Amino acid sequence: MVNEHDQIQSGQIKFLSAAPPPLVAGEYAIRATQQVNIPAEKNKDGKATGFSNDATEFWVGAPRFALNTEDIYSVYPAAGSIGSYYYSLPHIVLNRKTLPWERTIDGSVPGPDEVKPPWMALLLLDEEEIAEHDISLKTVLLKEIFPPAQSGGTLIYPRIAPEPPDIEEMESAAKDENNALRYTVIDVPLSLLRDIIPYNEELPYLAHARQVDTGNKAAEATNAKGWFSSLICNRLPAKGKTSSVFLVSLEGQGAYLQPNSPGAPDSLVRMVVLYRWSFEAKGLDFEKLVNNLNDGAAPYRIVVDAPISNQAVKDALHYGYTALNQQFREGSRSISWYRGPLVPANIAKPPNYMFSAADGALRFDAESGMFDVSYGAAWQLGRLLALENPGFSEAINNWKNGFVKDFRMDIARQLLKKEFKDSIDFSVSDDTQTITPEGKLRFSEALYKMEADELMKNLLLEIWHQNIG
């Protein structure tokens, strides 16, 4: 296991098999004792030397029956998406690294250096399983999650007891049931649950914590260090079907996390749903997509059945060009040649030209009397893709601002040297004083006075426009 306090480097990712919190949810007590050692000859009255105080009780809370939307970082496959996901195990990434271990399945407190299995898991059901077993999301009051006083019937509740916050909420709901919070559950037939639920020994392998470099990620301020936890499903999606994934609580469900779990097969087990999403596992897999590239494969060029008498047009089509409508800046219209980066023949590499605009990359074919806009389009596309990258745009802007500042300073330095070289100190060291020991004016102060002078400022601007435009 990697130490969670190790520093992560740029581009790295670190995994922890588990990231339990210092204390799991539950009630705790602190007891303190004090023993004073007094020599017997000085304690002739036999006074007590041991002291103790009453226990201080406190409660450690954690999510139990619902999660905040901020707790979910991402899911895969994406909700509502369609793709060839039948070779991928669905998984969910949580924003808090300790979340899957903040509770225990049986409510016990882990011992020293003990790591309990995660208290939540992913269940996957396809559309046919949902329809066959009539499984649907239900919203219930908090009291409908706990076992009723008189147990009976075919519905099996989680074997859990209310915690102090739960008792307070249920008492409040009893006074105003209409406005009380409701929670999402599904009732799963035990016969189906035995087939799909991960067993206790599998759970540690279906959850982990990770730390990633967030330099290129949109990370929340609360997750600036890049720590996440992840839960993985134990089933592959059914091919060609819509699948639903349920993030469920396993608290109080320990009896069903093992083979041959007790209960009648037609019993319904109530599972608390913390999150849910659906997707469709449809489409071609990668192998078939690649093989389909061979179907009808031909050079990337337009094939014309009719004979072409114009040699310029014949050559253009041979090299992968196509004729497209073009509107010039002044409004006139024409037809120009264009080709993409994939060509069916060897193309000579053009010289390394410098262009200040896409129009500078246009090429004119005198033989056909048409423009070739391919390089101009590539120049513009590359420029747009570069500017779309925030890091690149920021670097370009910083470089431009630095260049402007340096150029402006150089002009001002040359002007001041020409006119006031004997009265100004142009060194860059020790710029804390306005006047040097020799009685000269510091360059920075001279520059400030120069820019404050309207005549000198206008002169700077004139030189600037002559050189930069």
Side-chain angles (χ1 to χ4, degrees):
M1 180 185 293
V2 177
N3 190 316
E4 62 177 294
H5 301 295
D6 292 344
Q7 291 293 327
I8 189 170
Q9 303 300 319
S10 176
Q12 285 186 337
I13 179 171
K14 292 183 179 180
F15 293 93
L16 298 178
S17 58
L23 294 176
V24 299
E27 190 173 5
Y28 296 84
I30 298 178
R31 293 179 175 85
T33 60
Q34 184 179 19
Q35 182 71 33
V36 180
N37 294 323
I38 303 176
E41 61 273 13
K42 294 185 178 181
N43 190 17
K44 296 179 180 180
D45 297 335
K47 295 181 179 180
T49 58
F51 305 90
S52 63
N53 64 342
D54 294 334
T56 299
E57 297 182 350
F58 63 95
W59 183 265
V60 175
R64 195 178 196 190
F65 304 119
L67 296 180
N68 295 322
T69 54
E70 294 81 6
D71 292 329
I72 310 298
Y73 181 79
S74 65
V75 297
Y76 183 87
S81 63
I82 303 174
S84 54
Y85 301 127
Y86 31 86
Y87 291 145
S88 302
L89 289 172
H91 54 271
I92 186 170
V93 180
L94 306 171
N95 267 319
R96 194 157 72 243
K97 68 174 183 179
T98 59
L99 187 54
W101 300 275
E102 291 180 7
R103 290 187 171 275
T104 57
I105 297 173
D106 57 2
S108 62
V109 176
D113 301 324
E114 181 186 9
V115 178
K116 295 279 189 176
W119 66 279
M120 49 175 62
L122 295 178
L123 297 184
L124 182 144
L125 295 168
D126 64 53
E127 54 188 336
E128 292 184 0
E129 292 170 330
I130 292 175
E132 179 184 353
H133 298 280
D134 193 24
I135 298 174
S136 61
L137 291 173
K138 301 176 183 178
T139 55
V140 300
L141 293 170
L142 184 58
K143 66 180 182 179
E144 299 176 76
I145 296 176
F146 297 100
Q150 299 294 330
S151 60
T154 60
L155 185 57
I156 302 175
Y157 294 83
R159 297 179 181 178
I160 53 177
E163 296 176 347
D166 303 325
I167 296 174
E168 182 179 348
E169 182 178 336
M170 287 192 291
E171 290 176 350
S172 175
K175 300 176 183 177
D176 186 10
E177 188 170 297
N178 292 331
N179 295 318
L181 293 175
R182 282 170 166 76
Y183 300 89
T184 305
V185 300
I186 53 174
D187 297 331
V188 184
L190 180 57
S191 58
L192 175 62
L193 188 65
R194 287 169 174 165
D195 294 334
I196 66 174
I197 197 167
Y199 291 154
N200 197 65
E201 61 270 18
E202 299 171 349
L203 290 174
Y205 302 102
L206 298 176
H208 67 268
R210 68 179 74 168
Q211 185 185 25
V212 300
D213 173 29
T214 57
N216 295 319
K217 281 183 173 289
E220 298 291 339
T222 56
N223 203 8
K225 294 184 178 180
W227 277 110
F228 303 89
S229 55
S230 184
L231 295 166
I232 305 170
C233 190
N234 65 331
R235 302 180 73 200
L236 289 171
K239 187 174 182 179
K241 298 178 183 178
T242 298
S243 295
S244 295
V245 185
F246 302 87
L247 176 62
V248 299
S249 168
L250 300 179
E251 189 182 14
Q253 307 285 12
Y256 308 105
L257 303 178
Q258 55 188 348
N260 304 318
S261 53
D266 59 344
S267 300
L268 297 176
V269 180
R270 174 149 292 182
M271 309 288 294
V272 176
V273 177
L274 305 170
Y275 191 77
R276 171 202 178 259
W277 79 97
S278 299
F279 59 90
E280 293 185 57
K282 298 178 181 179
L284 301 177
D285 58 28
F286 179 76
E287 180 181 0
K288 290 186 178 179
L289 288 172
V290 172
N291 289 333
N292 284 349
L293 294 176
N294 291 325
D295 295 341
Y300 291 96
R301 64 164 66 102
I302 295 177
V303 179
V304 181
D305 295 334
I308 300 175
S309 57
N310 188 307
Q311 187 61 37
V313 174
K314 184 184 296 184
D315 291 342
L317 296 179
H318 172 76
Y319 285 107
Y321 284 90
T322 185
L324 297 176
N325 293 325
Q326 182 183 8
Q327 181 174 342
F328 294 96
R329 289 184 181 274
E330 75 279 6
S332 61
R333 298 176 181 273
S334 181
I335 297 177
S336 299
W337 293 119
Y338 171 79
R339 66 168 177 81
L342 302 177
V343 292
N346 290 327
I347 301 292
K349 183 180 179 180
N352 294 324
Y353 294 114
M354 298 290 291
F355 305 112
S356 59
D359 286 353
L362 297 179
R363 304 172 72 187
F364 183 73
D365 185 358
E367 188 175 349
S368 63
M370 296 172 61
F371 278 101
D372 178 359
V373 300
S374 304
Y375 291 112
W379 186 94
Q380 183 68 11
L381 178 60
R383 177 173 177 267
L384 293 175
L385 289 174
L387 294 177
E388 188 182 25
N389 185 317
F392 180 87
S393 300
E394 183 180 356
I396 287 291
N397 187 60
N398 292 339
W399 172 84
K400 180 180 178 181
N401 291 338
F403 173 79
V404 169
K405 180 181 178 181
D406 293 343
F407 188 78
R408 169 177 153 276
M409 292 281 286
D410 187 57
I411 293 175
R413 187 184 294 273
Q414 293 181 35
L415 285 174
L416 291 172
K417 274 187 176 181
K418 183 176 181 181
E419 300 294 336
F420 308 103
K421 63 179 180 179
D422 296 328
S423 57
I424 297 177
D425 183 3
F426 291 94
S427 65
V428 296
S429 60
D430 189 20
D431 202 21
T432 58
Q433 301 295 326
T434 303
I435 305 297
T436 68
E438 294 80 13
K440 293 184 178 182
L441 192 67
R442 294 285 186 194
F443 171 65
S444 59
E445 184 67 17
L447 178 63
Y448 173 76
K449 292 180 178 295
M450 178 182 180
E451 292 187 327
D453 183 272
E454 194 66 25
L455 182 62
M456 295 299 291
K457 185 176 181 180
N458 290 336
L459 180 60
L460 276 173
L461 289 174
E462 182 179 349
I463 297 175
W464 171 261
H465 289 305
Q466 288 177 356
N467 288 270
I468 300 299

